Amino acid sequence: EDQVTQSPEALRLQEGESSSLNCSYTVSGLRGLFWYRQDPGKGPEFLFTLYSAGEEKEKERLKATLTKKESFLHITAPKPEDSATYLCAVQAVEAGGSYIPTFGRGTSLIVHP
Amino acid sequence: NAGVTQTPKFQVLKTGQSMTLQCAQDMNHNSMYWYRQDPGMGLRLIYYSASEGTTDKGEVPNGYNVSRLNKREFSLRLESAAPSQTSVYFCASSEPGVGNSPLHFGNGTRLTVT
């Protein structure tokens, strides 16, 4: 059964203190790994898609990387506005050809000024 | 550009009452999804619709029914609400026929069942 595990569950950083969030997965036939950001009271907002091991994507202070078993979301010199819950999801081929994303439980990030 | 719109935003029900959560998207997406999000449990798929006219069960379908009214609209019905259905419900849509396309989410319906 496909599984997606995110760690840590919660992370507190000081402004400017760089760190990484982890998403490990066990799927067969990975079609894509996705990172989302979710602010309180809002729906998840898409950040990145990674398709193959070795791929990297960047957006402002965020960089996502992918290996065959895990993905990292690196946050460089974070600011308080980066505080949010970050969700990881994987899509793999399912029976009947439907691509159903499986989500991890998320990492809650708080950046203190 | 509205994206995915969910109504209502908040709802309080008594045990045994019924209600329908509405979802509409304006991105011409074929696939639509209903998730519930509970503390510590992450997003769990209730039902999905790969295309207009089709619906399939997800991980936690018990107690729910869905209707894909047309390409734009996908509703979720609770026939007899239970306290265990207290949750935040998210509707999402994605690009047709592309297995590695991201989901676009609405802002959720916060449901409390007393």
Side-chain angles (χ1 to χ4, degrees):
Chain A
E1 184 176 323
D2 297 343
Q3 285 195 340
V4 181
T5 304
Q6 292 188 245
S7 61
E9 290 185 12
L11 182 62
R12 292 177 179 269
L13 299 174
Q14 289 296 127
E15 184 171 3
E17 180 186 2
S18 301
S19 188
S20 296
L21 282 57
N22 177 264
C23 173
S24 62
Y25 62 92
T26 55
V27 298
S28 55
L30 180 71
R31 294 297 296 244
L33 184 141
F34 304 83
W35 283 99
Y36 294 83
R37 169 189 171 127
Q38 185 175 21
D39 293 300
K42 301 290 187 181
E45 180 181 350
F46 169 69
L47 291 173
F48 304 110
T49 307
L50 300 167
Y51 299 108
S52 58
E55 188 175 2
E56 298 183 353
K57 294 276 182 70
E58 287 190 63
K59 181 180 180 180
E60 297 181 354
R61 295 176 292 282
L62 300 177
K63 183 169 80 171
T65 62
L66 181 65
T67 72
K68 288 186 178 180
K69 293 184 178 181
E70 59 191 349
S71 176
F72 292 94
L73 185 64
H74 306 278
I75 304 177
T76 302
K79 298 182 177 181
E81 52 261 43
D82 294 321
S83 298
T85 295
Y86 291 86
L87 300 172
C88 169
V90 298
Q91 278 187 325
V93 176
E94 295 284 344
S98 296
Y99 303 102
I100 307 302
T102 300
F103 282 83
R105 298 184 180 187
T107 293
S108 175
L109 172 66
I110 298 176
V111 182
H112 297 285
Chain B
N1 187 358
V4 178
T5 302
Q6 293 184 236
T7 55
K9 297 186 188 307
F10 301 93
Q11 184 70 50
V12 179
L13 292 178
K14 294 183 178 180
T15 299
Q17 288 184 319
S18 63
M19 77 161 296
T20 299
L21 281 64
Q22 306 287 353
C23 175
Q25 52 93 6
D26 63 2
M27 294 171 284
N28 201 38
H29 289 169
N30 267 350
S31 298
M32 297 186 73
Y33 311 79
W34 275 105
Y35 285 88
R36 61 178 289 173
Q37 188 174 42
D38 302 289
M41 297 297 293
L43 284 162
R44 292 183 293 169
L45 183 66
I46 304 171
Y47 271 92
Y48 67 99
S49 172
S51 61
E52 186 178 356
T54 68
T55 60
D56 285 285
K57 295 178 180 180
E59 180 185 354
V60 288
N62 291 344
Y64 305 96
N65 286 299
V66 291
S67 295
R68 185 71 184 268
L69 304 172
N70 48 55
K71 190 171 185 178
R72 291 185 63 249
E73 299 173 287
F74 188 37
S75 63
L76 179 71
R77 182 161 179 83
L78 287 69
E79 291 290 351
S80 179
S84 61
Q85 294 178 305
T86 293
S87 187
V88 182
Y89 292 86
F90 288 101
C91 177
S93 67
S94 65
E95 187 67 20
V98 179
N100 49 14
S101 63
L103 269 60
H104 299 260
F105 286 87
N107 282 327
T109 294
R110 283 145 188 83
L111 175 66
T112 301
V113 183
T114 61

